[in-house]
Amino acid sequence: MKFSFVCRPSKARKNGESPLELQVTSEGKRAFIALDRKCKPSQFNVTTQKVRGKMEHNQYLDAIMQKCHMIETQLIKN
């Protein structure tokens, strides 16, 4: 199972911001989960999975990623 964040410019609002989404990939299938944060695509760093200049967004993304790994661990245990 793989988790990553994406900011898709194709879903940009009038103010130029796009919703951040969690991309979950498992067994070759992808699912996207919309998150409660938005940013301009130019602010999102794909490599580091962080939003430049938005500390609160990055803390939120870190918390989401941590929760994903906890859920994955529980699935493996079961």
Side-chain angles (χ1 to χ4, degrees), residues 6-31:
V6 295
C7 181
R8 294 200 269 180
S10 62
K11 293 188 174 185
R13 306 285 193 257
K14 289 182 182 180
N15 65 0
E17 291 186 334
S18 298
L20 290 170
E21 298 179 342
L22 173 66
Q23 177 181 322
V24 181
T25 307
S26 179
E27 298 178 10
K29 296 181 182 179
R30 288 186 292 182

Side-chain angles (χ1 to χ4, degrees), residues 1-7 21-33 35 44-50 60-76:
M1 199 175 284
K2 183 181 175 202
F3 305 101
S4 61
F5 297 109
V6 295
C7 181
E21 298 179 342
L22 173 66
Q23 177 181 322
V24 181
T25 307
S26 179
E27 298 178 10
K29 296 181 182 179
R30 288 186 292 182
F32 293 92
I33 301 168
L35 302 176
F44 185 72
N45 186 325
V46 178
T47 306
T48 62
Q49 300 284 289
K50 302 287 182 195
Y60 177 78
L61 295 177
D62 289 341
I64 294 291
M65 189 60 74
Q66 191 173 31
K67 196 168 219 172
C68 288
H69 289 299
M70 285 176 26
I71 291 169
E72 181 183 29
T73 301
Q74 281 298 109
L75 288 171
I76 291 170

